[in-house]
Amino acid sequence: MNFPDERSFNRWFIVISCLVVVALVLWNTSIFFQSLKEDERAKMNIWAKAQQELDNATADSEIDLILEILNNNTSIPIIHTYADGEVAYTTNIDPAITQKEKRLKKYLNRIKDENEPIVINLGDGQEQYIFYGNSPALNKLKYYPIGLTFIGFLFIGVVYFFYTTTKSSEQNKLWAGMAKETAHQIGTPLSSLIGWTEILKDEKVKPSYIEEIEKDIDRLKTITERFSKIGSAPLLTKTDIVEETHNAFDYLKTRSSNLINFQLIAPEESIYVNLNQQLYSWTIENLVKNAIDAMRGKGTLTIEIKQDKHWAYINIKDTGKGIDKSKFKLIFEPGHTTKKRGWGLGLSLAKRIIEEYHRGRIKVAHSEINKGTSFRISLKKV
């Protein structure tokens, strides 16, 4: 058994064990409740017989035992009525209830639902009724299973939360480790390329060739810096979001197909936000590449910058295949992809960069199947 399987087994074993324990306790509580209810019924039968004996007693009858039985009930609420429903007397009921006819009637209807009445036969066809409710102890026990069930599910929730956060933490460490290792691996050949570039300059190679090589070296440096920042808090500086978006737009436009119609709509004035330039350009790049894939390499891609009093908004719109509304949140999950070749990390990284590192927001603002999608990035102005 591998470690993920073992952790999954342990998680389900704990959850199922909790459910079994809760079920057993509820079952035993139910049995105990019914047993107490039957005991109270037996006591009330004895109490009703004692009441009947008292009603039939004469001046010469011994009633000491009868009175002791009647006075022994100090917890079970009783309403003694005549055959026509008129209340004869009450026992163990709050005076605030007995002193108001409507409240007493309502209370009587409630205890009728709790227990069947006991009939007292006085002879000559005369009957009286003993209505009684559950004792306070029995009422408390009735709510015990609800509390226990709540505690059981709360514990299961804690276990589930623990395992999901642990899993998420492990994934974050794994991605951060992979990113830093990638940056390290790129760094070695990058240093070598810089050295070879200097040699080519000495060899009087055509300057335009060297210039193109240096552009790719600068690009590799940017990629290395991006990967090295994953897993650690990046440095944010006050930056003009309009200028940075222009830079990212220009770079992507020159390196994309001529079949893509790029449009940039931005205000003339500067809009300042706290930004990490490398990570922001990476986010724009991921969203633009995602849009180009959705359009299958042909269509119109529009980047629009707006603002209000507190926020700057960057909208990336395409004319691609669109996204089903049920997947608006799912597409930001790590590993989710509709491509045959892909890790499903682009949008997940974009979400992490914007929301965790820049304290902003990113979402699917609008999408229609076969008409296109609009992503929105929201960053706090400074």
Side-chain angles (χ1 to χ4, degrees), residues 235-237 239 241 244 273-277 280 358 379:
L235 177 64
L236 304 181
T237 57
T239 308
I241 192 68
E244 283 304 314
V273 299
N274 285 322
L275 200 71
N276 182 279
Q277 298 173 7
Y280 174 72
H358 289 84
L379 296 171

Side-chain angles (χ1 to χ4, degrees), residues 230-247:
I230 297 297
S232 56
L235 177 64
L236 304 181
T237 57
K238 184 178 179 180
T239 308
D240 180 9
I241 192 68
V242 176
E243 181 182 352
E244 283 304 314
T245 306
H246 264 291
N247 294 337

